[in-house]
Amino acid sequence: MIAFTQQEKKVILFLLTMILAGAGINLLVKLNSPAKKVILLTQDIGKVNLNTANQKLLVQVPGIGDKLAQRIVEYRLKNGAFQDTQALKKIKGITAYRYEKIKDLFLVD
Amino acid sequence: MKNQFLVLTLIFCSGIFFASLVVFSLYLAYILAVIFLILSLVFYKKDKPFNFLLVSLMFFLGAISLYNSRIFPSGHISNVIRYPARQPYVFKGVINTQPQFKINQSYFIFRIDTLQKNGKSYACRGDILVYLKSREPFYYGEELILRGDLKKPFINTSQGFQNYLYNRGIFFILRVKNDLDVLRLNKFRGSLLRKSAFYLKERIERIILKYTSNLTAGILRAMILGEKSGIPWFVNDAMMKSGTVHILVVSGFNVGIVVLVIELFLKLIRIPRNIRFILAVPILIFYCLITGISTPVLRATIMAITFILASLIKRENDSYNSLSLAALLILGFNPNQLFDIGFQLSFVSVLAIVAVYPRVKALVFKKEVKIRCLRWLMEGALVSFAAWIGTMGLIAKYFRIFSPITVLANIIIVPLSCLITLGGFSLIIMELIAPFFVRPFAHSLEFIVSALVYINLLLVKIPGASLSF
């Protein structure tokens, strides 16, 4: 019923060995994969990451217009990453009142 | 014997089937497979023991493939969430298919990488089906954060759809209510190749929609691009009853046309034969990506590439072996495909044509038929008959339909569908090279499509054409 030549047998055995070994490795990796990691979600629904958002994303935040978004990006480029949302108060156009309105819309990682 | 590859493939499939029915230890199956492999290496010079050991090894390899495919790492969504809670879930991930839009709603497969629940975030993997109520267009490869209600597909969906999703490793459906629950991260994380394929698909769809009516566009999009969403339900229903619904699926014929077009074009610009064949392979793979890598197209593409490679290395091409190779590659990647209706119908129909057609032809064509049209018609009828014989059982099982009209319907409908497919490809090429001829050409195409739909509707009205049970 099945009649392979010696060369065909060698090729088949080589392929099947590789496949079986691969299946074993795949299974070991899956069974020993690291446990659930708690990581920071760098964005969230309704929150924008101050350190990664571009101008286009910042403009989507209610209360932030084109000019203010540009200033935020420029501040970040000049002074490095935001350490917390309080640093927004240092940007021209973000008063204490405005800060209270928008602080919950941002996150910092 | 030439068809030993087919025998091994059938044994592999038996192993998968056995594993689906019997609760068997994966470790025991693996140990047995290793033992058979070692013994095969020891006895490889002796034919009979080697054959027995090889068959046993293939059987257990099939079983191992299936068991392995049903084990997921601890970070997979099916292990992280056993039973979805009633509160909204937040996922971050990337759109992994071309989004479809239907009645104010987009739907796509979403490949997740982070899950947020109860204020905590978890690294989480897997695919979910997302239904998103939004008028905004979404794109393949777009990174999103979504919030919605998570449900298992076992609730509110039919068994067939549940199995369809499960066979593709999708265990949950996320329903996102509106745009406020979507955050677009303006990043592309998909494959550029697939993005290009989807872009080309959209361009072709626009050409089709520009020059044809909704009905013709729906049928052309199904036949050329594998996009069935535009087909009216009454057309699909009539074709199911007449046993001609297979023409709405992109398959071997379409792949054949692509190869023919490539061949003709490259021959025109004097490219040598071997280089033509080599160039055809990536184009076929690209066409496969355009049509959404469905099982019939994948099967046909693998068989076409096997044929091309066989021609290049001057070996005889064997249909059984190339069909077996296609089955092994598809099942090796996802053994659950064995239980998919599309996979079963695609492979069984081709196997039936390859096995039954030559025998029936030898019986019927005892004397040579000299009139070419008559011979062509009879051969077409025999191919349809062979496919019908092969798939009759599956169609009765899954669709509860028996269609005695199938052979007659296929004799009339299949040549029309060939004309429509050829016409569709020609329409697209014509738009690029001779746009002034497109409109009259499109009118002819409209006529042929209308004829096909009308004839099909007439055929199913014949008493006894189709029996539902």
Side-chain angles (χ1 to χ4, degrees):
Chain A
M1 198 158 114
I2 302 172
F4 291 111
T5 63
Q6 295 300 313
Q7 201 179 25
E8 283 168 348
K9 283 180 188 175
K10 285 177 189 170
V11 171
I12 288 168
L13 285 174
F14 170 73
L15 288 172
L16 291 178
T17 307
M18 295 296 284
I19 289 166
L20 204 54
I25 293 166
N26 180 251
L27 183 63
L28 281 171
V29 166
K30 279 198 275 195
L31 292 174
N32 297 305
S33 56
K36 294 172 275 189
K37 283 192 294 186
V38 178
I39 57 164
L40 281 174
L41 192 64
T42 55
Q43 290 291 117
D44 197 355
I45 298 286
K47 291 195 182 213
V48 171
N49 189 330
L50 268 176
N51 288 326
T52 59
N54 57 16
Q55 198 171 329
K56 203 172 160 184
L57 190 58
L58 286 167
V59 158
Q60 289 178 30
V61 176
I64 304 288
D66 281 332
K67 279 192 181 162
L68 208 44
Q70 194 180 345
R71 282 182 206 144
I72 292 172
V73 171
E74 281 168 4
Y75 179 90
R76 195 170 67 207
L77 283 169
K78 193 177 166 190
N79 299 296
F82 286 91
Q83 300 302 312
D84 57 51
T85 53
Q86 298 265 354
L88 280 170
K89 288 184 196 170
K90 295 178 189 169
I91 297 172
K92 185 185 171 186
I94 299 182
T95 58
Y97 175 77
R98 186 175 283 217
Y99 172 74
E100 287 304 316
K101 285 267 178 188
I102 62 173
K103 66 177 184 184
D104 291 331
L105 300 174
F106 291 106
L107 65 89
V108 167
D109 66 350
Chain B
M1 182 192 166
K2 280 170 72 178
N3 306 326
Q4 41 222 13
F5 211 17
L6 177 68
V7 171
L8 292 180
T9 306
L10 290 171
I11 302 292
F12 186 80
C13 294
S14 312
I16 295 174
F17 187 64
F18 167 81
S20 72
L21 294 174
V22 174
V23 176
F24 197 79
S25 166
L26 170 59
Y27 300 108
L28 182 60
Y30 196 83
I31 290 166
L32 285 170
V34 170
I35 291 170
F36 283 125
L37 177 66
I38 293 168
L39 289 172
S40 304
L41 287 163
V42 168
F43 291 106
Y44 90 95
K45 286 188 177 175
K46 295 180 183 174
D47 284 348
K48 277 187 184 163
F50 177 80
N51 290 344
F52 169 75
L53 293 165
L54 182 65
V55 160
S56 309
L57 175 57
M58 285 302 286
F59 180 85
F60 282 106
L61 209 52
I64 289 166
S65 299
L66 187 73
Y67 290 135
N68 203 13
S69 72
R70 290 178 178 179
I71 293 172
F72 297 99
S74 55
H76 192 268
I77 187 170
S78 58
N79 290 326
V80 174
I81 302 172
R82 298 283 178 173
Y83 300 100
R86 286 198 180 171
Q87 75 225 37
Y89 284 84
V90 175
F91 291 101
K92 178 167 156 283
V94 64
I95 299 176
N96 204 34
T97 56
Q98 194 182 27
Q100 303 295 317
F101 188 77
K102 209 172 185 178
I103 320 168
N104 277 352
Q105 186 167 248
S106 293
Y107 59 95
F108 48 82
I109 306 296
F110 193 63
R111 180 147 293 178
I112 56 176
D113 50 54
T114 314
L115 154 71
Q116 194 185 56
K117 201 179 88 168
N118 297 332
K120 286 186 183 170
S121 301
Y122 303 84
C124 188
R125 289 195 291 171
D127 290 344
I128 54 175
L129 175 61
V130 173
Y131 288 105
L132 205 165
K133 277 198 180 142
S134 170
R135 286 187 167 272
E136 295 269 328
F138 291 92
Y139 307 101
Y140 161 75
E142 203 180 342
E143 193 174 21
L144 302 173
I145 295 179
L146 302 172
R147 178 172 58 201
D149 297 321
L150 197 69
K151 290 217 170 2
K152 287 196 164 198
F154 312 104
I155 304 165
N156 297 334
T157 55
S158 66
Q159 190 76 10
F161 186 55
Q162 165 200 332
N163 287 338
Y164 172 82
L165 291 179
Y166 182 72
N167 285 341
R168 280 152 181 78
I170 297 167
F171 301 98
F172 296 98
I173 296 175
L174 183 75
R175 290 190 187 273
V176 180
K177 287 179 188 157
N178 52 47
D179 289 329
L180 295 173
D181 290 327
V182 180
L183 184 62
R184 303 177 89 145
L185 300 178
N186 298 314
K187 255 194 236 174
F188 175 75
R189 274 177 48 198
S191 146
L192 280 173
L193 190 62
R194 280 186 83 188
K195 188 183 178 188
S196 314
F198 290 141
Y199 172 73
L200 190 60
K201 184 178 177 179
E202 272 170 45
R203 286 288 304 269
I204 294 171
E205 278 181 327
R206 261 187 253 144
I207 293 171
I208 293 170
L209 287 165
K210 188 177 166 186
Y211 294 106
T212 57
S213 65
N214 285 343
L215 174 66
T216 305
I219 287 175
L220 279 175
R221 283 168 67 215
M223 285 181 175
I224 295 171
L225 301 171
E227 194 52 62
K228 288 179 79 172
S229 56
I231 298 175
W233 71 267
F234 67 92
V235 171
N236 199 51
D237 185 59
M239 287 191 160
M240 194 102 81
K241 286 177 178 164
S242 66
T244 54
V245 73
H246 61 90
I247 65 160
L248 298 175
V249 175
V250 176
S251 62
F253 180 69
N254 308 69
V255 171
I257 293 182
V258 170
V259 173
L260 186 69
V261 166
I262 299 164
E263 228 338 72
L264 283 171
F265 175 71
L266 294 175
K267 210 171 177 179
L268 265 171
I269 58 173
R270 303 275 188 257
I271 303 282
R273 180 179 170 274
N274 284 353
I275 308 226
R276 286 204 306 265
F277 279 167
I278 292 167
L279 286 174
V281 172
I283 296 173
L284 280 175
I285 293 170
F286 197 67
Y287 181 63
C288 191
L289 288 173
I290 289 174
T291 56
I293 323 177
S294 64
T295 305
V297 181
L298 198 50
R299 177 201 44 78
T301 305
I302 294 170
M303 288 181 77
I305 291 172
T306 314
F307 176 80
I308 289 169
L309 291 174
S311 303
L312 281 173
I313 58 174
K314 296 192 178 18
R315 295 291 294 261
E316 187 191 337
N317 180 57
D318 181 72
S319 303
Y320 287 109
N321 283 340
S322 54
L323 187 68
S324 307
L325 179 66
L328 278 176
L329 287 174
I330 293 171
L331 293 175
F333 186 72
N334 183 6
N336 293 291
Q337 281 284 307
L338 185 67
F339 311 105
D340 186 67
I341 302 168
F343 177 92
Q344 291 172 8
L345 283 172
S346 178
F347 278 87
V348 166
S349 61
V350 174
L351 189 60
I353 290 168
V354 171
V356 174
Y357 169 70
R359 287 168 176 78
V360 174
K361 188 180 173 186
L363 273 172
V364 169
F365 284 86
K366 288 212 167 124
K367 280 183 189 172
E368 197 193 332
V369 176
K370 287 185 182 163
I371 306 167
R372 197 191 272 184
C373 284
L374 184 64
R375 189 175 71 235
W376 181 77
L377 208 64
M378 287 172 75
E379 283 174 356
L382 290 177
V383 169
S384 296
F385 176 75
W388 179 58
I389 291 288
T391 55
M392 202 192 311
L394 289 173
I395 290 171
K397 182 194 170 197
Y398 289 115
F399 303 110
R400 303 204 177 280
I401 291 175
F402 176 69
S403 306
I405 200 84
T406 297
V407 178
L408 173 65
N410 273 280
I411 292 171
I412 304 168
I413 299 291
V414 167
L416 285 174
S417 75
C418 293
L419 277 175
I420 293 168
T421 310
L422 279 165
F425 278 108
S426 305
L427 183 84
I428 296 155
I429 294 168
M430 211 175 280
E431 162 75 358
L432 300 168
I433 56 174
F436 27 86
F437 287 129
V438 177
R439 284 220 181 268
F441 193 84
H443 286 312
S444 306
L445 209 50
E446 292 269 6
F447 175 75
I448 301 171
V449 169
S450 304
L452 180 139
V453 172
Y454 184 66
I455 291 169
N456 202 47
L457 288 169
L458 271 179
L459 285 170
V460 295
K461 282 185 181 159
I462 296 171
S466 163
L467 307 163
S468 302
F469 50 90

